[in-house]
Amino acid sequence: MTHGSDSEIRALAYRLWQEAGHPEGRDLDFWLEAELHLAAAPAATAPAPAPEQAKAAPRAVKPKTATKPRTASTDKPKAAPRSRAKAK
């Protein structure tokens, strides 16, 4: 399946033929190369969506829950457990 009209393919094939130095007998090669180039071009040259379409809908922001203020007792690390001395 080709993308592009015959006139677009013809114009590109002619330009490619000129750039190659006008070789004789390779018209089909340039035609097929032009078809391939135009078939790949729509994905690369497709216009970017408008900024309004490209943006996702804003996410709902969760309200922050009230946090308990830190106190001196929560700031201190817990003490290591004491080991008991063995009775003799």
Side-chain angles (χ1 to χ4, degrees), residues 4-65:
S5 66
D6 281 353
S7 61
E8 290 175 316
I9 296 168
R10 184 179 303 114
L12 180 56
Y14 181 73
R15 191 185 72 183
L16 294 172
W17 174 75
Q18 285 181 323
E19 290 173 357
H22 311 307
E24 292 192 28
R26 293 190 48 212
D27 54 336
L28 182 60
D29 294 336
F30 291 109
W31 183 273
L32 295 175
E33 185 177 346
E35 279 185 335
L36 288 174
H37 180 75
L38 291 174
T45 60
E52 297 81 36
Q53 295 171 347
K55 292 181 183 177
R59 292 185 176 189
V61 178
K62 283 186 172 181
K64 290 187 176 184
T65 58

